[in-house]
Amino acid sequence: MTMSAQTAAETAGNVAPERKGFELEDTGFKEVPKKYRRFYRKWQGEDDMLAENEVLCPVCRIVVRSAREVLPGDRVYCMPCMTRLMVTDVDGRLIGRPLQ
Ligand SMILES: [Zn+2]
């Protein structure tokens, strides 16, 4: 009988909650090389609902997507405008804040 990954993590004292994983499909976002397209999509404007794995880049107004759930305090990279972003929660939405 093998120990589950979760049990192993608890044994190691790691209390970080498990993050949800997301399947990313090609969004047809042409501004970056094909292999990175699934990590970005165009923002549809104020009515656009951001998923738990999506962060809006305020610099170029592109949605950065992660294969994992994103939480405030995380850092993501916006390739289209080459900006490093700190994820912040703004009224329940995940918005990036450019880092120097
Ligand atoms: Zn950007």
Side-chain angles (χ1 to χ4, degrees), residues 40 57-62 64 78-83 85:
Y40 302 94
C57 172
V59 180
C60 63
R61 302 258 154 182
I62 290 298
V64 183
C78 182
M79 184 183 287
C81 69
M82 297 188 291
T83 302
L85 303 166

Side-chain angles (χ1 to χ4, degrees), residues 11-52:
T11 305
N14 182 358
V15 293
E18 194 103 340
R19 296 200 188 193
K20 276 183 239 171
F22 290 81
E23 288 284 335
L24 300 180
E25 70 292 339
D26 193 322
T27 60
F29 186 78
K30 302 247 186 327
E31 283 81 348
V32 296
K34 196 168 176 44
K35 62 187 285 199
Y36 299 110
R37 280 180 194 166
R38 63 200 174 102
F39 294 111
Y40 302 94
R41 71 171 175 85
K42 290 206 165 80
W43 190 48
Q44 306 299 322
E46 286 298 330
D47 295 333
D48 195 342
M49 292 291 290
L50 297 176
E52 292 167 290

